[in-house]
Each structure stands twice: as C-alpha cells, then as structure tokens.
Amino acid sequence: GAGVSQTPSNKVTEKGKYVELRCDPISGHTALYWYRQSLGQGPEFLIYFQGTGAADDSGLPNDRFFAVRPEGSVSTLKIQRTERGDSAVYLCASSSEAGGWGGYTFGSGTRLTVV
Amino acid sequence: AQSVAQPEDQVNVAEGNPLTVKCTYSVSGNPYLFWYVQYPNRGLQFLLKYITGDNLVKGSYGFEAEFNKSQTSFHLKKPSALVSDSALYFCAVRTSGGSYIPTFGRGTSLIVHP
C-alpha cells in the first residue's frame, strides 16, 4: 500500500478483555516496529520485527503483550487481560531496510481505551 | 544505552520569525538522528535525518537541522515560521551499530502565533 495502515483507528474495551491491533506496513518493507504513545509522551518502543521473526521484544511491558508477523508483512499486536494502564495510542512503523537509514514510516495509530 | 532530551515542552514563536526546537542525544558510537512531526490525531511524519556527511541537513517543509557532535545536539530550525507549522515535534536517535531501534524524545509542542 501507499502507507502504513493500522486498524482499528479506535478501540474501546472493558478491563480484562482481549484485544488485537493490526498493522499493514508498506509493501516490501522488511522491518516493522510497534511503539506505544501515552498522552504527553514520546513513542515508547515495544517490539521490532525483521521479516517474520521478532528481532527485539525487549520493550514489551509484560507477558500480557504479544505480537506476530507470520508472513513477514501484516503484524498483529495482541493484549490479553487488558488493564486501564494499557490505554494509549499504539503506533506501527516500517522501514525498507533493517537499519532504517531511509527513515521510518508511521501509521496513524490505534487509540486503545480500556474502561 | 541511547537517549534523547528535548528540554522544552513548548516553543512559542511569531509567524515569520525563525524557530528552533532543541534536541540533545546520548549514544554509544556514531548517531543516526531523526526529526518527526505529529499533527493532532495523526501518526508521526518524517521530516529529516542525519546519517553521515554534511552537518547541515535539509528536510521537508523548509525545515533543517544541524548536527553538532561536540555538543551532542541536533536542533531543528526553520528561517520563517508558518502558523501551519504548529504541531508536536519529536527527535529520535539510534546508534549506527547494534540495536536498530530508534529512541524518541518526549516531544516539543511548537505554537506559531499569527
């Protein structure tokens, strides 16, 4: 596609529920990143994929968070037993090379609200 | 470890005046530096990057940034601000080796007054 697409744009869920957030990167981009942005803060790194594998998942806050990228393109971020503290904008970015020398293209994000 | 500091939460400037948004960084090794802009309810848009070469980098919408290795800074500048430049600006850094993960600053809100 022309840009990085994230769906849904908004998600409201009840505490304790399971949610999935989808990211469709630019076609051909091998590197994919998930970030979380809380109000008034910069993006915080969650996980980085190179191809199908998670090259770095050191930013995932706990084992309720998991992400997959089974075919090396679309990625899904999964959050189990959601908590109110998970409320944030979840951003996805992709780049055409592992090093990101060309810059990173971001999607518009999914705003997750846990009530 | 790598980190970015944006010391100003907010910068106010009059339209037509020059603007500067400050960024300092800390990395092991050589830095790759980036500036992004975020408009309300939108994702981050790439403005410019420094990888190597000329210390003065020119980017989108008339913005430029100067890499200063001795001061570990990468300040964003524009000679003449527009009201439409009002947005959140994020500086990011990653090391040239090792981790491919960019670290972002907290952001600076730029407000350009008519």
Side-chain angles (χ1 to χ4, degrees), chain B residues 19-42:
Chain B
L19 69 86
T20 298
V21 182
K22 296 179 180 177
C23 171
T24 58
Y25 66 88
S26 174
V27 291
S28 302
N30 294 319
Y32 291 170
L33 292 152
F34 306 86
W35 274 103
Y36 284 82
V37 60
Q38 186 176 37
Y39 297 99
N41 300 314
R42 301 290 300 274

Side-chain angles (χ1 to χ4, degrees), chain A residues 6-83:
Chain A
Q6 291 189 248
T7 55
S9 56
N10 279 284
K11 176 71 176 179
V12 180
T13 190
E14 292 181 348
K15 180 175 177 294
K17 298 289 188 183
Y18 168 83
V19 296
E20 290 189 350
L21 312 179
R22 176 188 168 107
C23 172
D24 198 343
I26 291 174
S27 179
H29 276 196
T30 58
L32 185 146
Y33 307 78
W34 283 99
Y35 282 81
R36 177 168 70 174
Q37 186 177 20
S38 301
L39 194 63
Q41 302 292 321
E44 291 180 80
F45 168 71
L46 295 175
I47 187 169
Y48 157 55
F49 286 90
Q50 182 57 39
T52 60
D56 189 331
D57 64 358
S58 62
L60 295 176
N62 52 59
D63 61 6
R64 295 187 298 106
F65 289 74
F66 189 71
V68 296
R69 195 186 185 200
E71 297 179 358
S73 57
V74 171
S75 176
T76 304
L77 178 66
K78 309 180 180 194
I79 311 174
Q80 298 177 318
R81 304 183 305 280
T82 51
E83 300 176 357

Side-chain angles (χ1 to χ4, degrees), chain A residues 33 35 37 40-43 45 48 50 56 91 98-109 111, chain B residues 32 34 36 38 41-46 49 51 88 90 94 96 99-107:
Chain A
Y33 307 78
Y35 282 81
Q37 186 177 20
Q41 302 292 321
F45 168 71
Y48 157 55
Q50 182 57 39
D56 189 331
L91 296 169
W101 300 289
Y104 306 84
T105 304
F106 280 82
S108 295
R111 182 177 299 278
Chain B
Y32 291 170
F34 306 86
Y36 284 82
Q38 186 176 37
N41 300 314
R42 301 290 300 274
L44 279 70
Q45 294 180 36
F46 173 75
K49 68 180 188 287
I51 303 298
L88 267 175
F90 292 94
R94 55 152 285 208
S96 59
S99 170
Y100 291 145
I101 314 302
T103 298
F104 286 81
R106 291 185 54 174

